């Protein structure tokens, strides 16, 4: 498989001006439990001020995700839920790590 390379990149936030009324840049520690093969697990993070309809734009983990599939969304007022699915053949238990994500509220 060939390695991907960046053709162009841009740093800054001016491309987002006018799209969002609020944003939250969240950093927290996550120590999720083991996820069995074929199973899912959920964890929640309290983020004051977020509401249903807000978007989790992206997230990153400070450790390898070891084949796990992750999804994050605002599940209730002040709550972001992280869902982990394990499509691998064995149980996976990630180390405690720093989780970073961005939540945004779109201009309506």
């Amino acid at each position: 498989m060939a390695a991907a390379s960046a053709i162009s990149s841009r740093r800054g936030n001016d491309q987002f001006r006018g799209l969002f009324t609020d944003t939250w840049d969240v950093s927290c520690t996550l120590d999720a439990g083991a996820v069995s093969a074929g199973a899912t697990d959920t964890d929640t993070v309290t983020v004051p001020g977020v509401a249903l309809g807000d978007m989790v734009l992206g997230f990153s983990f400070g450790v390898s995700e070891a084949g796990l599939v992750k999804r994050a969304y605002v599940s209730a007022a002040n709550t972001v839920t992280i869902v982990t699915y394990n499509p691998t053949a064995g149980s996976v238990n990630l180390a405690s790590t720093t989780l970073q994500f961005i939540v945004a509220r779109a201009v309506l």
Side-chain angles (χ1 to χ4, degrees), residues 11 22 72 102:
R11 183 176 178 175
D22 283 305
I102 297 171

Side-chain angles (χ1 to χ4, degrees), residues 89-101:
S91 180
V92 176
N93 189 357
L94 299 180
S96 178
T97 186
T98 298
L99 167 63
Q100 294 178 299
F101 58 92

